[in-house]
Amino acid sequence: MMFFGPAGVGKTESAKIINNSLVKGELFRQQFSMFQTGEFASYLFGGSIDSPCLAKDLIKREGNVILFDEFNRCPPTFYSAFFQMFDEGIYVDKNFELSLKNSIIICTANYESRGEILSALGSPLFSRFDHFISFNPLSREAKETLIRNKFSEILKSWDADDRNILQKDEILKNLINHADSFTNARNIEKGVKGSMARTLVLNMLEEYEKDTNA
């Protein structure tokens, strides 16, 4: 499956939900943005027998949900590494051959349309995907829900005194009022954390000034 759409709208989280509903172990996740071209070739096609490679990592996986995150970062010259995997459920590199049958393979990418995916991947790889699932930009309602959930989640990480300060302040209300300034779940989390930390720092400075003046 190809999950495509803007960054930070739930593609990776959806893969985690699928894994958690089907598998007891951790999701197998490989982020393609972590590789440079040279090491990517060795990782996908196999190098020396003792070198890190995708085949070894797949052998050690805990379940049959496989996530290739940021698949669009894979150089086109390496697409052939996935032809047999996506077509027959068999992965072969220089040193190993393993079966991935009965697996769910999910790729995420920031493409905007199926047409863009076809243009980027080419017909041989595009035709090997069974499903294309589009993720839309977050709605205002979704942003507000994420802000509330993230505020509640982060609030638990502070001690009782800090929570008391944060709940008295109008942080949550202000964040919701400015929900349209956020574009995705990542900057919502950063915005919530930043607002909470800033409030606590300002409160600490106010208390310090009071003690100093006293």
Side-chain angles (χ1 to χ4, degrees):
M1 295 187 286
M2 170 67 77
F3 289 179
F4 67 96
V9 295
K11 300 186 294 295
T12 300
E13 289 303 312
S14 296
K16 291 178 181 178
I17 291 170
I18 292 172
N19 179 76
N20 292 341
S21 66
L22 298 176
V23 181
K24 291 183 179 180
E26 289 188 14
L27 170 70
F28 177 90
R29 179 186 180 188
Q30 185 53 266
Q31 291 179 272
F32 283 2
S33 60
M34 302 295 289
F35 294 93
Q36 300 297 321
T37 301
E39 63 179 346
F40 209 167
S42 178
Y43 183 73
L44 288 179
F45 296 105
S48 62
I49 193 66
D50 57 344
S51 298
C53 65
L54 177 59
K56 286 183 183 178
D57 289 340
L58 287 169
I59 290 171
K60 294 185 292 185
R61 73 189 189 279
E62 296 182 13
N64 278 343
V65 180
I66 298 167
L67 173 62
F68 295 136
D69 229 349
E70 299 180 285
F71 191 80
N72 51 299
R73 300 294 187 92
C74 178
T77 51
F78 300 152
Y79 288 164
S80 61
F82 303 98
F83 287 173
Q84 191 173 10
M85 180 195 296
F86 290 178
D87 202 23
E88 303 174 18
I90 297 173
Y91 183 59
V92 180
D93 72 0
K94 180 181 176 181
N95 302 302
F96 299 94
E97 178 175 339
L98 59 147
S99 173
L100 299 176
K101 291 184 178 180
N102 300 319
S103 295
I104 297 174
I105 301 174
I106 300 170
C107 300
T108 70
N110 295 336
Y111 299 120
E112 295 182 359
S113 66
R114 290 182 59 154
E116 184 181 356
I117 299 171
L118 175 58
S119 177
L121 301 186
S123 180
L125 186 55
F126 179 90
S127 64
R128 285 171 164 83
F129 282 93
D130 296 310
H131 302 284
F132 295 87
I133 300 175
S134 174
F135 285 69
N136 297 320
L138 297 176
S139 65
R140 168 83 189 203
E141 182 181 3
K143 291 175 183 178
E144 291 183 4
T145 299
L146 283 170
I147 290 170
R148 290 190 180 93
N149 291 346
K150 189 55 62 175
F151 183 88
S152 177
E153 176 186 327
I154 297 173
L155 188 65
K156 297 174 183 176
S157 66
W158 299 100
D159 62 31
D161 291 337
D162 288 339
R163 288 199 299 271
N164 189 43
I165 294 168
L166 293 169
Q167 288 175 310
K168 285 182 178 178
D169 198 87
E170 293 190 342
I171 303 172
L172 181 57
K173 181 180 178 181
N174 290 333
L175 286 166
I176 290 175
N177 286 340
H178 294 88
D180 287 332
S181 66
F182 299 107
T183 57
N184 59 52
R186 293 190 187 97
N187 56 43
I188 285 175
E189 181 174 7
K190 289 180 181 178
V192 173
K193 284 182 176 179
S195 294
M196 296 172 87
R198 186 163 52 251
T199 297
L200 293 175
V201 169
L202 290 174
N203 181 79
M204 181 180 65
L205 293 174
E206 288 176 4
E207 292 298 320
Y208 176 77
E209 287 182 6
K210 288 179 184 178
D211 292 342
T212 302
N213 293 333

